[in-house]
Amino acid sequence: QLPDDQRPAYVGTFHGLGVGWGTKPVEGAPQAYWDDDLPAAMRVLATHLVDGERFDAFVVDEAQDFADTWWPALTAGMRNPDTGGLYVFADEAQRVFNRHGRPPGHFTVVDLDENLRNT
C-alpha cells in the first residue's frame, strides 16, 4: 500500500530475479546449475540491463544461505556497485543450506541480543 515511489522494485528470490532478467530455470537441474551456472548467466544478462532495470540497493535476508557465486551476479544488477547499498541480514543459527558465502565489501556487524521477531 506504499506510494509507487516508495515501493520496492523487486521482492522475491535470488533465482527469481534471474528469471526476470531472462534466465531459463531448468527443472530437475543439479545443484551446480543453481549455484554456478544460473548466477554466471545472470552476470552476463546484467550487463545488458538498461538503467531503469538496475537497482540502487539490494536487501538480502537469510544471507547465511547465499552462495559466494551469487554475490557478483547480484551486484552486477546495481546502477553503481561502488556506491549502491547492500544491506545483508543473516543468522547462522538459521542456516538451512550447506552454502557459505560472504558479501563483497566491509560491513558493520550488529549482533542482536534480543529476539525482535513479530510472531
Side-chain angles (χ1 to χ4, degrees), residues 30-94:
Q31 193 61 42
Y33 171 80
W34 302 103
D35 290 342
D36 301 318
D37 301 339
L38 189 135
M42 287 175 67
R43 278 185 80 178
V44 171
L45 289 167
T47 64
H48 302 289
L49 295 174
V50 298
D51 194 53
E53 296 172 320
R54 293 183 173 277
F55 296 85
D56 293 319
F58 284 105
V59 176
V60 178
D61 194 16
E62 306 299 346
Q64 72 276 358
D65 291 319
F66 220 73
D68 260 337
T69 54
W70 297 5
W71 294 109
L74 188 71
T75 57
M78 296 180 107
R79 278 191 186 90
N80 187 334
D82 295 326
T83 61
L86 185 57
Y87 305 93
V88 179
F89 299 88
D91 182 348
E92 286 299 324
Q94 294 183 14

